[in-house]
Amino acid sequence: MREIRRLPELLERLRVFEAPLFSREGRYAVVGCGSSYHIGLVLGEIAALHGYNVQAYTSGSVLVREEVRRLVASADAVALISRTGTTTETVRVAELLQGATRTVGICCADSSPLTAITDEAFNFGFMAEESVVMTSSFSAILAFLLSSLGELRKEVEELLNATDAVRREMARLEESVSRVHFAKKSHFVFLGYGPNLYLAKEAALKVQELSLSRTEFNEPLEYRHGPISTLSESTHATLFGPIGELERELADELRARGASVEVLEPSNGDALLGTIVFPAYAQFLGYEKAVSCGLDPDRPRGLVKSVQLSI
Ligand code: F1P
């Protein structure tokens, strides 16, 4: 919980770092596994909204589908993200890219096998997490990379300089999580469009990892097209907003069918603030669900902090 709550501190400490600037003419790729991959997906969606070309890949897909050559041909620079900096698949991709294209490594340690072999390295040791599950470093790395988009650089700077707004939002999210009837809830659904779809993907992963619950993510209106069949009174659904009339109707329908529904809308319509704090909602949710089941959210069964393969 301490690691989830310390996001504002991580953002403050990011002030002294300058992210590499992306250009609209450039083509960029972001590579990682699990939550680190999701950072790339969210970034890619927001980048596209501003006219930038940023594609996200899982390190595994690059290896299995032998896409290294395609990556080299299609990206002027590749950012490789690994919180631990030791995930085998991501380190292996960095090895294969050495000398072939410009690489930037990002990790949450003072040094790492990943950042030792990338052309440029961001070793965010102050973000290091003890928990097996990645939490606040997700939003901190995302904020850092969002400042690579010229249009957002000033907005991100303002966010890093005014973390009271982040603190207030996080307190609001934690408060709303405390109202969830965890004893009754075992199925967690996250819905959103655009960048929010990938925040929903990250949210589903986080609650699954922390509490071993059944989770799903989808676009809001797509949820009626099949997945709704497994909705029940044990479902807690979260819509990442701002939402419009059609999504409001969906929320009402889900409630009418017995689910509890939370609609998260960023205060003052501040989309960037929402992007940065929404992941914390799922982290609080997963943490509280785990504790309510007598599980250890810091060391979930069957998970390791860094996946190691013998390749
Ligand atoms: C990647 C990752 C984490 C996940 C889990 C296993 O780690 O998939 O996102 O929470 O703990 O590893 P990393 O490459 O970012 O260190």
Side-chain angles (χ1 to χ4, degrees), residues 177-245:
V177 164
S178 71
R179 289 194 300 269
V180 176
H181 199 328
F182 285 103
K184 271 191 177 171
K185 302 293 169 184
S186 57
H187 177 217
F188 298 88
V189 175
F190 298 93
L191 304 169
Y193 284 109
N196 283 348
L197 173 64
Y198 295 120
L199 289 177
K201 182 166 167 41
E202 167 62 10
L205 176 71
K206 215 60 2 179
V207 174
Q208 182 185 48
E209 285 185 303
L210 288 164
S211 69
L212 313 181
S213 304
R214 190 160 68 85
T215 64
E216 283 180 78
F217 71 96
N218 214 322
E219 289 187 355
L221 269 57
E222 275 299 291
Y223 188 67
R224 285 197 185 93
H225 296 268
I228 201 166
S229 55
T230 60
L231 180 123
S232 71
E233 285 176 4
S234 66
T235 305
H236 178 70
T238 306
L239 272 101
F240 292 124
I243 65 166
E245 198 42 45

Side-chain angles (χ1 to χ4, degrees), residues 36-279:
S36 293
Y37 165 55
H38 295 167
I39 293 172
L41 287 173
V42 178
L43 173 70
E45 284 291 319
I46 297 174
L49 292 174
H50 293 275
Y52 293 84
N53 181 352
V54 181
Q55 302 295 325
Y57 299 85
T58 58
S59 313
S61 78
V62 175
L63 295 178
V64 173
R65 303 173 71 195
E66 300 182 355
E67 285 184 329
V68 173
R69 240 183 295 139
R70 188 155 80 90
L71 204 54
V72 171
S74 66
D76 305 315
V78 179
L80 297 115
I81 306 172
S82 171
R83 171 185 62 157
T84 55
T86 58
T87 294
T88 311
E89 291 130 288
T90 308
V91 176
R92 185 81 190 109
V93 174
E95 280 167 5
L96 295 169
L97 290 175
Q98 265 183 308
T101 189
R102 188 172 154 245
T103 56
V104 180
I106 299 172
C107 76
C108 304
D110 293 330
S111 64
S112 74
L114 172 68
T115 49
I117 58 170
T118 51
D119 300 325
E120 205 174 335
F122 290 94
N123 291 304
F124 296 133
F126 63 92
M127 292 185 195
E129 292 171 328
E130 278 169 37
S131 172
V132 163
V133 180
M134 177 180 189
T135 55
S136 51
S137 62
F138 176 89
S139 291
I141 297 175
L142 179 59
F144 174 71
L145 285 174
L146 284 172
S147 69
S148 293
L149 310 173
E151 285 75 4
L152 289 189
R153 177 153 287 196
K154 206 163 164 287
E155 236 185 288
V156 174
E157 262 171 32
E158 281 167 12
L159 187 79
L160 304 189
N161 286 325
T163 49
D164 277 355
V166 176
R167 280 197 179 83
R168 274 196 302 275
E169 285 292 278
M170 290 192 54
R172 191 168 71 93
L173 296 178
E174 195 171 342
E175 220 277 302
S176 63
V177 164
S178 71
R179 289 194 300 269
V180 176
H181 199 328
F182 285 103
K184 271 191 177 171
K185 302 293 169 184
S186 57
H187 177 217
F188 298 88
V189 175
F190 298 93
L191 304 169
Y193 284 109
N196 283 348
L197 173 64
Y198 295 120
L199 289 177
K201 182 166 167 41
E202 167 62 10
L205 176 71
K206 215 60 2 179
V207 174
Q208 182 185 48
E209 285 185 303
L210 288 164
S211 69
L212 313 181
S213 304
R214 190 160 68 85
T215 64
E216 283 180 78
F217 71 96
N218 214 322
E219 289 187 355
L221 269 57
E222 275 299 291
Y223 188 67
R224 285 197 185 93
H225 296 268
I228 201 166
S229 55
T230 60
L231 180 123
S232 71
E233 285 176 4
S234 66
T235 305
H236 178 70
T238 306
L239 272 101
F240 292 124
I243 65 166
E245 198 42 45
L246 290 171
E247 292 149 290
R248 218 168 291 287
E249 279 170 18
L250 174 72
D252 291 343
E253 184 180 337
L254 301 187
R255 285 191 190 101
R257 286 174 177 238
S260 52
V261 179
E262 184 71 51
V263 176
L264 297 183
E265 309 225 52
S267 291
N268 313 321
D270 183 343
L272 176 67
L273 181 61
T275 301
I276 296 305
V277 300
F278 285 170

